[in-house]
Amino acid sequence: MRIYLDFDDTLVGRMTFFHDYYTPILLSSGSTQREIDVSYTYFVNNQKLFSPKEQMEISGWREEKKEEALFEIENIIRQHRALIFPDVVEVLRSLRSRGHTLILLTYGQQDFQKQKIIASGTAHLFDEIIITHEDKVEIIRRDHEGEPIVFVDDKTDFIIRLAEQFPEVQTFHMCRKGTPVPVCEKGKCPAGHEIESLEELLKFIP
């Protein structure tokens, strides 16, 4: 079985990083909250993948100041192992021991995602790592023939289209407590299953 796993808010606490560590660095370096909000809007309006380095450039940071902040961010990511959820390593090891192929499929800016994945200490537990700006459904499309596929993600838009086009793919909507991912209304979840931890996945996968 080929198991595709999302990264942010599935394996690691994305919002904890931004709220508790990243935003305070920007504020302590002289940015105002309004400047931070405006710079985020730039990425959304231009449909660009988020990058701390580019955000600092948009805000007009000097090169020296930017390098200092990026160094501090890297240290925080390493120190906190990219804020990985406590059940992740054990579950990944268990799935590997059962003979499954594990594929990390994450949507985001190449350098920033790679930095977080390395810091998480989980890269060696995956058979393949895909960092993409492409639609995840298209990646599954190229791989759906052969072994059964499991898809775990916190984004319902991917799951909805995947379920429509490839109903044979087993889908799981991840909605961990403490993340901004809402639980679906009862009876309205597009995924085959809704889970609040990676450990719950083991109940469905032999």
Side-chain angles (χ1 to χ4, degrees):
M1 189 174 290
R2 294 173 65 78
I3 303 175
Y4 284 85
L5 293 152
D6 176 48
F7 190 67
D8 292 311
D9 292 325
T10 296
L11 304 186
V12 301
R14 175 177 60 92
M15 293 311 296
T16 300
F17 165 72
F18 279 100
H19 182 271
D20 294 354
Y21 300 100
Y22 182 67
T23 299
I25 288 175
L26 298 184
L27 292 171
S28 66
S29 298
S31 288
T32 65
Q33 187 61 57
R34 187 181 187 292
E35 288 173 338
I36 295 170
D37 293 341
V38 168
S39 63
Y40 280 132
T41 302
Y42 164 81
F43 289 98
V44 174
N45 290 345
N46 292 279
Q47 298 183 330
K48 292 178 68 69
L49 300 175
F50 176 78
S51 160
K53 183 177 181 181
E54 188 169 354
Q55 184 179 33
M56 294 170 192
E57 290 171 350
I58 293 167
S59 301
W61 286 29
R62 299 190 314 274
E63 189 66 27
E64 181 181 350
K65 180 180 169 184
K66 182 175 65 178
E67 292 303 322
E68 288 177 358
L70 290 173
F71 181 73
E72 187 176 355
I73 290 166
E74 184 171 358
N75 283 340
I76 288 172
I77 289 174
R78 287 179 177 174
Q79 181 182 349
H80 296 279
R81 294 186 72 82
L83 300 165
I84 189 169
F85 291 115
D87 62 344
V88 170
V89 172
E90 183 178 344
V91 172
L92 294 180
R93 286 175 175 164
S94 178
L95 291 171
R96 284 181 65 87
S97 71
R98 299 178 188 192
H100 300 301
T101 300
L102 302 185
I103 304 163
L104 181 60
L105 178 55
T106 178
Y107 183 88
Q109 197 271 341
Q110 190 80 211
D111 293 339
F112 189 41
Q113 292 302 98
K114 183 177 180 180
Q115 181 185 31
K116 291 188 293 180
I117 293 166
I118 292 172
S120 74
T122 61
H124 68 287
L125 296 173
F126 289 94
D127 298 282
E128 187 176 354
I129 295 174
I130 303 173
I131 302 173
T132 184
H133 55 79
E134 183 183 7
D135 187 346
K136 289 185 179 183
V137 176
E138 291 304 312
I139 292 173
I140 300 298
R141 181 191 302 279
R142 296 195 291 268
D143 189 43
H144 79 283
E145 295 182 3
E147 289 183 81
I149 290 176
V150 170
F151 182 83
V152 184
D153 207 296
D154 65 297
K155 300 290 191 299
T156 54
D157 57 337
F158 290 136
I159 292 172
I160 290 171
R161 287 183 290 108
L162 193 60
E164 290 174 348
Q165 297 178 42
F166 306 105
E168 70 276 14
V169 172
Q170 195 172 2
T171 54
F172 292 82
H173 179 227
M174 176 64 79
C175 49
R176 287 185 182 271
K177 293 179 180 178
T179 68
V181 182
V183 176
C184 295
E185 290 184 43
K186 189 173 182 180
K188 293 186 177 181
C189 182
H193 305 280
E194 191 163 51
I195 56 178
E196 295 185 1
S197 72
L198 204 61
E199 191 173 9
E200 287 185 52
L201 189 64
L202 298 177
K203 300 176 184 178
F204 301 95
I205 299 178

